[in-house]
Amino acid sequence: MNKPLPDLNDRNDIIRLVDGFYERIRRDEKLGPVFEEIAQVDWETHLPKMYDFWDTVMFRSGTFRGDPIAAHKKLGPLTDMSQATFDHRLDLFRATVNELFAGEKAEHIVRCAEDMANVLYSKVNNVPQPRFDPANLTDEQRSRYEAYKKGNSG
Ligand code: HEM
């Protein structure tokens, strides 16, 4: 029997996950060139930024400083930011998580990645969030959402 995988428990685990994910990204024939050629990412800056991003999302480290919506909007005119590209990126992320970890936090980080992909896709492409369905809201959430749409979110 294989040893059971550990859950994702701390920043060191985030570092292993992010490093493994970007190894896959760099080898990927669709996404590799987006980072290497289009954005010409400086990995020594990008990787620690992503450690901080996920450490903040998962463990509230508060260390992330950035503007993901602006960063991805910039990419919109330069490369294919379709649903298929987001789904492909999510597949690589899920595969990396499942290779290294198993448990509640491992499942949670995948859900966070899915939510973030949904938000970024809609901002980059200027469309409503494809997986947001107002029919699933509670009455209280629906009235807040109506108020927000009228520009009265206070
Ligand atoms: C197919 C979809 C995506 C592509 C091609 C992509 C590509 C990139 C690239 C090239 C950068 C570097 C931008 C730069 O430094 O100029 C970047 C930054 C970043 N990406 Fe993505 N990304 C995608 C989706 C996502 C998703 C779903 C997440 C979150 C779960 C995410 C999180 C981030 C964060 C946090 C940064 C740093 C932003 C900043 O500098 O403030 N990306 N992405």
Side-chain angles (χ1 to χ4, degrees):
M1 274 252 303
N2 288 337
K3 238 176 113 197
L5 292 170
D7 204 353
L8 185 144
N9 285 317
D10 57 22
R11 184 176 172 95
N12 280 336
D13 290 342
I14 296 274
I15 291 172
R16 284 174 62 216
L17 169 61
V18 169
D19 286 351
F21 174 61
Y22 281 100
E23 261 170 45
R24 283 180 194 248
I25 289 265
R26 290 166 87 157
R27 285 200 308 263
D28 187 84
E29 62 180 38
K30 285 211 193 89
L31 291 173
V34 177
F35 284 81
E36 304 279 7
E37 286 157 34
I38 296 176
Q40 301 190 358
V41 160
D42 173 7
W43 293 104
E44 286 186 24
T45 326
H46 187 65
L47 293 176
K49 193 186 271 191
M50 298 310 292
Y51 306 152
D52 285 338
F53 174 73
W54 285 118
D55 201 5
T56 299
V57 170
M58 292 298 292
F59 305 120
R60 299 174 191 238
S61 67
T63 43
F64 176 67
R65 298 279 175 276
D67 188 346
I69 292 177
H72 296 91
K73 272 196 169 180
K74 252 190 344 202
L75 290 175
L78 305 175
T79 186
D80 170 19
M81 295 294 272
S82 64
Q83 190 66 61
T85 309
F86 276 92
D87 287 346
H88 177 54
R89 183 193 181 280
L90 276 173
D91 285 343
L92 298 186
F93 191 80
R94 272 192 214 102
T96 320
V97 172
N98 293 336
E99 173 189 75
L100 297 171
F101 306 104
E104 257 173 49
K105 295 200 197 75
E107 284 168 25
H108 184 64
I109 201 169
V110 169
R111 278 197 301 273
C112 292
E114 290 167 354
D115 287 349
M116 183 76 174
N118 203 24
V119 170
L120 289 176
Y121 173 82
S122 76
K123 297 290 180 191
V124 169
N125 295 292
N126 277 319
V127 294
Q129 288 184 37
R131 287 169 188 138
F132 173 69
D133 182 355
N136 294 333
L137 297 178
T138 62
D139 288 345
E140 195 269 337
Q141 286 172 324
R142 186 166 302 115
S143 66
R144 271 195 282 139
Y145 178 60
E146 290 303 325
Y148 168 78
K149 274 199 303 192
K150 280 193 218 122
N152 171 26
S153 58

